[in-house]
Every structure is written in C-alpha cells, then in structure tokens.
Amino acid sequence: MSASPFRVVHTVCSHDCPDSCGVLVTVNDEGRAVKVAGDPKHPVTQGFLCGKVAKYLDLVYAPERILYPLKRKAGVGKGPLPRGREHEAFERVSWDEALDAIAARLKRIAEEFGPESILPYSYAGTIGVLGFGSMDRRFFHRLGASQLDRTICSEAGGEAWKLVYGKKLGTPTEDFRLAKLVLAWGANIHGNNVHLWPMVEQARRNGARLIVIDPYKTRTAALADWHIAIRPGTDAALALGMMRVILNEGLEDRAYIDEMTHGFAELAERVREYTPERVAAWTGMTASEIEQLAREYATTKPAALRLNYGVQRAEFGGNAVRAIAMLPALTGAWKHRGGGGQLSTSGAFEWDKKAVERPDLALASPLGRLGRVVNMSALGEALAVQGSGVRGQGSGKAEARLEDDPSVHALFVYNSNPAAVAPNQNAVRRGMARDDLFTVVHELFLTDTTDYADYILPAATFLEHTDIQGAYGHYFVQLSQQAIEPPGEARSNVWLFSQLAQRMGFEEECFRDTAEALIRQALAIGADKHSTNAGMEHITIEDLKEQGHIPLGFHLSPETAPFQPYTSGCVPTPSGKVEFYSESLASQGLDPLPDFKPPTESRFGELAKRFPLEFLSRKADNYMNTTFANLDGHRKMEARKSQRLEMHPADAEARGIGDGDVVRVWNDRGELKLTALINARLPVGVVAGQMDWAKLSASGGNVNALTSERLTDIGAGATFYSTLVEVAKVSAKQPQ
Ligand code: SF4
C-alpha cells in the first residue's frame, strides 16, 4: 500500500476566543496546508470551526502577507497610507540588518532616556502560552522596559469576578446542555462563542429557555425566547434589582448562602434601594419585566449564566460584573449540575508563568527592578510627551506608578493593531506619528499600525510555530504543533525576541531556549516527565503529542465526577467564602458592596445634552477584532453591516435621516462618516457601528475615533461601550 501524500497535524486556534478549538491541518507532500478542520475528538470543538477560521488558509496564503522585514525609507513620514500602496514607504531589508538596527536603536534610547522609555504593546493576537507572553516578557524584563498593563479586553470583568470568587472558574461548557434556563448576559454565543451554541440548542431541545440581555439584537438575541434590550451601562442596576426581588420573595438559597458565602446581610441591606421601579427607569425595562426575570431565574433549576466581556467595557462595568456574578450564589445555582455560570475558565490553567516570563531578569536590567506600568487602554495619553499637559491618567493602578515617568521613545508592537483597536484613535495616532518615536511592528499584514512603523517584521500564524494552550471557555490543555513552514521569512514571537536579546548582548542562557524548552517550563515538567502544575499532574508532553488535548485533572471524569465550582470547601477569597462583601475593598477604603452608577457618557449624564446618543462600537462576527478584516471573503460575510451606522427608526426620523443616507457621527474626540442602516435592533437612543480597519473606511478612521480613554471602575480597563455621540445627515442616499 502506498503511503498517503498527506499528513494531518494537530494545532490549536490561537485567536482571542473562548473556544480554543483543536484544529486538524492537512498538509500535502509539498509542505502546503490544504485543509483545516475542527478536531472531532475534542469534546468542545466537536469537529467544526467558526466561519472565520474555516477559511483560515485564505489568511495563511494571502498574497498580501508580509514575507520579509521592511524598513521605512529615508525621508518618508509616518501616517495613514492608502491600502495597496504601503510598500512605497518601505524597503526590504534582511533580518540581520533589521535586528542589528533595532537593537542599536533600543540601546541608544535606553541610554539616553532610560529603559522605561521603551514600551512593549501586545495583547491577544495569539493566546498560546508562548505566543502571548514568554520570550518577549523575558526580553523586556531584562531590558528594564515599561511593563504593559494588559487591560484592553477583560480586566474589569476578570478582577470583578475574582473579588467574588477568588479565581476565574465556571460551569464546564459541556454542562450547559443540562440547563433548564440559559441566561446569556452580554454574550453573543451564536456569534463568537459558537461551540457553546450546540450545548444551548441541546438544552433547549430538552425544554430549556434562552434569555438574552443585550442592548443589541445579536444573532443570539434574535434566536432567544426572550430578548431584553437593556440600555448600555445599566446592567448593575438590573442585577441588583433582581436580587431585591429574589430576597423580597424568599427565593434565595439559604443553605448555600449560610455554608458558602460571606456578607449576605450587608448585601441584603444594599439591594433594598433597588426597587423594580427605580431599576426600570435606568434600564428601560418595565418593573414587571424585572420581577418576571428575577423569578424565572431564581426558580428554574438548573439555571446557567453565560456572562461575557461586553458588559464590563463600560465605565462602571466592574461593578456590573460583580453584581451579576453574585446571582448564582444568591440562588445556589452552582449546586445544580448544568447550573452556575461562566465568565471565563482561564483561572484553572496554572502554568508556571514565572519560569516562562522570568520577571527576575529585571534585577539584571539597568533599573535593577521591574519597570513602571503603563496602561494599554490609555495609549494615546502614554504616547503624549511628558510636559505636554495631555498625560496624566497613567496606569490606573496607583501602586504600580513610579515618580520618574519618562516619555515613551520606543514602541514595540506585536499581537496587536493599536492604531485600530485602542480607544481614542486620534490621540493614539497623534502619538504614533511623533518623529521622535521609534516604532517596530511584528505583523502578518500591512495594517493601520504598520503605517507608523520604522521597521515591520513578518510574523507567523498558529500553523507555523509550536505552542501550548489552555482556554477561557473550556478545561482542556492542548499542544499546537507546527504544521507548515512559515512563508518567506516570517518568524514566531519566540524566535524574534530570542534573536533580538542576543543582539542586545543579553547573555542569560534562557534567551536561547527553544519553543520545546519553553513548553516544558510552562508545564513545569518533573523528573517523571509529568507536569508538576496543579491540575496538570497527569499530563506529559508525549501524551499531548499523541492525543492533542488532555482535560485538567478535575475534569477527567465528567460523567462520574462532574466539576461544579464553588460548591464545597474553601473558595480562594480572603474570607474563604464567596464574597458578597469584599473585605479587601473595605480595607482599601472602597465600597465593599456592588453598586450602580450611570456612566458619565450615558443618557443620564450632563454630556448627553450635547451628545444625546449612546454609541456601541461593535465587533464583527466574522472578524476577530481587526484580524481577518482585510480578507475579501471575510469582508463579504460582513458586507451588510460594514461601514454602517445602525439607528432606531425614531432616532433617525428625529434627525431627518433615511436608510442609506450618509451621516456624520461625532463627539469631542473625533468623527466618522457612515451610511445609515435604519432598524429596530437597538433601543431608542442607542446607535451602533462595527469595528473595521481605519484604512478601509471611507472617513479614514474607525469606531475608536469616538471612544474614550476613560478607565473602568475595577481593573482599569477600557470603556468602549460608554461613549456618547451625535449624528446628522450629510447627504441623501444615492439612487442605485
Ligand atoms: S476563533 Fe474561536 S470558534 Fe473560531 S476556530 Fe478559533 S477558537 Fe474556534
């Protein structure tokens, strides 16, 4: 029998998505990937991929991939370049030339302004352990660079959840099929958590109801039994109002509360003020809807809450997540298999991060300590020059601030596209356009950010390097094996920072570690070849190579020993209980109980007199933030919403705007020109636009031209969904 000309390699989708799919890549005998498919053996992936990654080879083999290092041509200024003409600003150089020049420049900047004037900027362009943060962290620690506070996505919600439960754990995704009620709060399951959807469908076939709370009628909301179109930023009021109804009607689980929680009496006192009538005035619901929701949630068992990160991207989003997270503790929903809740499962993966990231290397830096902390959600402010009067908000984490606060003179971007995704885009671009800022970008494509680069370095996709990965939507460790060689001279993050460290003269052996060595360190492999990390003691690299995925220890026998977090024993909070009342907040002089305040930028604030519409900067279902947005096939899937401003008919009529008219959307930070799409998928007073590349937009900016750098109440995260705007008609729809 002749050998097959194809081999199948197990990889893991490293895009920023809770599902972390096992991906089988078929590679032909010429080393070219010819097919990607979901791993049928993975209990969550279940053999299928989402629409964006099913077309992943369009990205891998896109003719526009950056294949070689590029250097800005002498005399060419920084700034937006038309799509397709970016190459005119750059010339090809060798890796040797690029690495030598970058190392020399970083050394000069560190000597002249101090190493903290160098700022790394990265996020979850890849969420593999190595790709997200390993050799890069070692490099910047050893250099003494500023540390980046990675707050842009989930920090407010994550910190809030931990205040209640100590750790980010949740109901296993597979168990949602057992629920009788699924409450999707700010969670577009059908759009961007697609492997939870089959579980929800199975639950519904068994009689479960699906309730969706979301200001926007997402795909999930459109399929729900009940869609509650809450006003943006009022989620905490609703959760506190639900608690009041539950307590008034005696629907709480006293046994669970007595055994597992702390601060119930204080919480009961706090929620008394949240009458259904008051909550109705904030949320736009009726008092009887609030009562009905609370009763249905508290009396249906099992009730599963899927809370996602949209809720926490509001000014008081931390308090909102805290209040919502308390609901399953109040009703004892954790006790019923298939009930409970999930924001993230990431707390279950106890990688040996110290070994991987080596913060101790900072002791060998010229600073002799870790660098200052700069908040990525306030990049525009961070890039403003010291003394300009613009800087000031800083990290948002006061204890990490240092008195000596030099201007940023070098920006090193990887795994991110800040000129498009960071809030207050015009401020970010002003900063990035500074002539005295040295910028390096490691990327797959020429993006809004590479328009500001001095050097562009070609990056690798998850098919092109080895990594290990957990998930924030399931409990499986997976090995991502390299399936193909990177095209051209594209290289992984690990390779890049290892090479650069050596050019900088960093002599520590750890800068020569291979990806395989880093994986062994992440797993803390012991003498018997098994991991020594909590929950991973049964895992070996050999088994991972063979099986692709292995469940964490507590999830090995889901049928006979199901995992139900927060149901017994000690909860990892200061009190050892689920905390309704936070002792740690109290000790900092902060409010120890959840509360509701309307966002400054909302219909309830002063600014609404000038900018009366609440603006939702939505993510496209078929892009991953800005990844995929440059690919024609993906753009086609988003054609109906792309470059549109969705408006309620009442808001459009009040402004004389008709469907298809060109409109101007603006506030004090910026403006956009979009085409009106009139529909009733939003509450009155709320408009929505979708994230896109600025350079692919008619007005040369995207939704972040309107968003602000104001930070969340907990976690100092980004507040994308607390944005006020006004809208006016520019021109009528052109006849077709
Ligand atoms: S983006 Fe999410 S759903 Fe799509 S393949 Fe990746 S992990 Fe799976």
Side-chain angles (χ1 to χ4, degrees):
M1 208 160 62
S2 63
S4 167
F6 300 103
R7 62 195 166 89
V8 176
V9 184
H10 183 279
T11 64
V12 187
C13 175
S14 68
H15 288 285
D16 187 4
C17 167
D19 300 15
S20 280
C21 289
V23 182
L24 301 181
V25 183
T26 305
V27 183
N28 71 15
D29 54 1
E30 291 171 353
R32 188 178 173 90
V34 292
K35 184 180 164 195
V36 292
D39 182 354
K41 290 193 195 141
H42 191 297
V44 176
T45 307
Q46 294 193 88
F48 75 96
L49 303 173
C50 65
K52 12 181 203 285
V53 175
K55 295 153 80 77
Y56 203 64
L57 297 184
D58 290 359
L59 180 148
V60 172
Y61 294 116
E64 306 86 27
R65 276 279 301 266
I66 304 168
L67 299 179
Y68 310 101
L70 299 168
K71 171 187 166 187
R72 182 170 292 277
K73 287 180 184 164
V76 177
K78 298 177 182 181
L81 293 161
R83 190 182 184 204
R85 294 189 51 196
E86 298 96 335
H87 273 283
E88 293 171 16
F90 295 94
E91 58 190 308
R92 180 178 169 182
V93 290
S94 68
W95 267 106
D96 278 339
E97 187 181 340
L99 291 168
D100 283 342
I102 293 166
R105 187 73 182 267
L106 292 181
K107 277 185 199 167
R108 273 209 308 279
I109 290 170
E111 277 163 22
E112 193 174 343
F113 304 104
E116 288 173 304
S117 64
I118 299 167
L119 178 65
Y121 195 96
S122 73
Y123 197 65
T126 166
I127 61 170
V129 174
L130 273 46
F132 181 77
S134 60
M135 196 62 81
D136 55 312
R137 304 295 203 271
R138 292 179 180 184
F139 177 81
F140 290 112
H141 286 143
R142 174 67 180 79
L143 183 58
S146 289
Q147 299 181 84
L148 188 71
D149 202 359
R150 292 177 170 81
T151 59
I152 201 162
C153 177
S154 61
E155 194 74 355
E159 290 302 302
W161 185 275
K162 286 193 277 182
L163 280 168
V164 182
Y165 294 109
K167 209 173 181 186
K168 286 193 276 184
L169 300 174
T171 305
T173 294
E174 302 93 306
D175 280 2
F176 274 70
R177 68 197 154 86
L178 303 173
K180 288 290 179 217
L181 171 69
V182 177
L183 180 58
W185 202 319
N188 180 12
I189 299 169
H190 196 278
N192 46 38
N193 184 192
V194 296
H195 293 84
L196 179 57
W197 185 250
M199 317 295 174
V200 174
E201 280 189 316
Q202 195 176 335
R204 295 178 89 185
R205 280 197 294 275
N206 293 331
R209 262 166 64 81
L210 171 66
I211 301 177
V212 174
I213 302 174
D214 198 312
Y216 186 85
K217 194 169 184 177
T218 60
R219 285 187 205 174
T220 316
L223 293 166
D225 297 294
W226 184 14
H227 170 214
I228 298 168
I230 191 173
R231 290 176 182 153
T234 62
D235 306 81
L238 177 56
L240 291 160
M242 286 172 69
M243 290 189 208
R244 186 185 192 274
V245 175
I246 290 167
L247 296 183
N248 264 11
E249 301 189 8
L251 302 177
E252 73 276 19
D253 184 331
R254 283 287 172 159
Y256 182 88
I257 290 166
D258 290 347
E259 188 193 347
M260 293 300 300
T261 73
H262 170 75
F264 172 71
E266 292 88 344
L267 178 72
E269 185 57 33
R270 170 60 57 89
V271 303
R272 279 166 58 127
E273 65 192 82
Y274 289 91
T275 62
E277 293 71 24
R278 285 187 75 206
V279 172
W282 283 313
T283 58
M285 298 169 69
T286 64
S288 63
E289 284 173 335
I290 294 159
E291 287 164 346
Q292 183 192 335
L293 175 65
R295 279 184 207 122
E296 189 168 341
Y297 175 72
T299 57
T300 310
K301 297 179 195 307
L305 167 72
R306 178 62 170 112
L307 172 59
N308 216 332
Y309 284 111
V311 171
Q312 46 101 64
R313 293 188 193 118
E315 187 177 356
F316 300 106
N319 259 283
V321 167
R322 235 182 121 209
I324 296 165
M326 290 174 184
L327 287 167
L330 202 64
T331 61
W334 296 109
K335 292 184 349 194
H336 310 280
R337 188 176 176 200
Q342 189 192 100
L343 173 70
S344 166
T345 59
S346 63
F349 296 89
E350 304 211 8
W351 308 109
D352 190 346
K353 280 204 168 172
K354 267 196 183 158
V356 172
E357 299 180 2
R358 296 289 307 270
D360 57 296
L361 289 166
L363 298 174
S365 76
L367 295 175
R369 57 164 168 78
L370 287 165
R372 65 174 172 180
V373 178
V374 173
N375 191 329
M376 72 185 307
S377 300
L379 181 63
E381 288 188 20
L383 293 182
V385 178
Q386 191 181 34
S388 64
V390 180
R391 304 179 77 205
Q393 190 164 243
S395 79
K397 290 190 176 164
E399 73 283 6
R401 302 278 299 153
L402 298 168
E403 280 168 22
D404 181 20
D405 196 14
S407 298
V408 175
H409 286 273
L411 183 68
F412 204 123
V413 181
Y414 53 105
N415 298 350
S416 187
N417 182 9
V421 302
N424 200 359
Q425 184 171 61
N426 291 329
V428 171
R429 286 165 139 193
R430 269 195 301 278
M432 293 185 77
R434 276 172 41 207
D435 286 336
D436 63 336
L437 181 73
F438 177 63
T439 300
V440 180
V441 183
H442 188 220
E443 247 300 355
L444 297 169
F445 294 100
L446 295 169
T447 64
D448 292 329
T449 300
T450 58
D451 284 351
Y452 296 87
D454 292 284
Y455 280 88
I456 302 172
L457 306 173
T461 68
F462 72 81
L463 268 55
E464 297 153 15
H465 65 98
T466 303
D467 211 326
I468 189 160
Q469 195 165 311
Y472 60 99
H474 63 66
Y475 291 119
F476 294 85
V477 173
Q478 296 185 85
L479 190 65
S480 189
Q481 307 203 53
Q482 182 174 347
I484 56 172
E485 288 301 317
E489 296 176 4
R491 295 291 180 266
S492 69
N493 296 3
V494 169
W495 184 91
L496 164 61
F497 288 102
S498 164
Q499 292 294 314
L500 203 51
Q502 289 166 51
R503 311 275 167 152
M504 295 290 288
F506 299 162
E507 288 174 350
E508 291 82 356
E509 265 308 300
C510 67
F511 288 113
R512 296 174 194 276
D513 282 345
T514 60
E516 289 70 23
L518 283 160
I519 288 171
R520 279 198 300 279
Q521 291 156 19
L523 283 167
I525 294 292
D528 68 353
K529 296 192 173 179
H530 286 79
S531 170
T532 56
N533 293 338
M536 300 184 189
E537 297 90 341
H538 56 297
I539 294 178
T540 67
I541 292 178
E542 291 68 29
D543 287 346
L544 275 173
K545 278 186 182 158
E546 206 175 297
Q547 297 166 34
H549 64 269
I550 299 179
L552 291 171
F554 57 77
H555 198 47
L556 279 169
S557 315
E559 291 317 316
T560 52
F563 177 56
Q564 291 178 255
Y566 319 120
T567 46
S568 61
C570 189
V571 176
T573 57
S575 65
K577 304 270 186 185
V578 176
E579 293 201 350
F580 294 131
Y581 180 99
S582 167
E583 299 291 353
S584 74
L585 288 180
S587 70
Q588 296 168 57
L590 301 170
D591 188 347
L593 292 160
D595 201 1
F596 168 69
K597 289 190 199 74
T600 308
E601 292 203 32
S602 71
R603 66 187 69 206
F604 304 103
E606 267 299 297
L607 199 63
K609 289 180 185 152
R610 290 174 56 219
F611 301 111
L613 296 170
E614 292 164 334
F615 177 70
L616 291 178
S617 53
R618 299 198 63 248
K619 296 186 185 190
D621 290 343
N622 295 292
Y623 308 155
M624 182 62 71
N625 296 317
T626 60
T627 303
F628 302 111
N630 59 320
L631 302 175
D632 291 343
H634 290 73
R635 290 193 77 76
K636 263 188 208 143
M637 296 196 282
E638 290 293 339
R640 211 178 80 77
K641 302 276 181 65
S642 182
Q643 299 300 306
R644 299 297 188 110
L645 183 79
E646 294 185 69
M647 300 186 79
H648 191 279
D651 293 321
E653 196 185 334
R655 290 164 179 78
I657 294 169
D659 194 66
D661 289 351
V662 176
V663 296
R664 176 174 169 249
V665 192
W666 80 97
N667 60 23
D668 286 336
R669 291 177 290 272
E671 69 169 57
L672 296 176
K673 282 208 181 74
L674 298 169
T675 302
L677 177 63
I678 314 298
N679 64 36
R681 295 177 81 90
L682 295 149
V684 175
V686 182
V687 294
Q690 210 163 264
M691 172 101 88
D692 204 340
W693 283 22
K695 65 166 61 204
L696 298 177
S697 311
S699 35
N702 73 6
V703 290
N704 281 316
L706 303 167
T707 57
S708 84
E709 293 177 275
R710 187 177 281 118
L711 301 176
T712 54
D713 53 347
I714 295 171
T719 57
F720 294 109
Y721 304 148
S722 294
T723 301
L724 283 174
V725 298
E726 179 54 296
V727 179
K729 179 167 163 173
V730 173
S731 58
K733 180 181 182 179
Q734 297 297 312
Q736 296 290 316

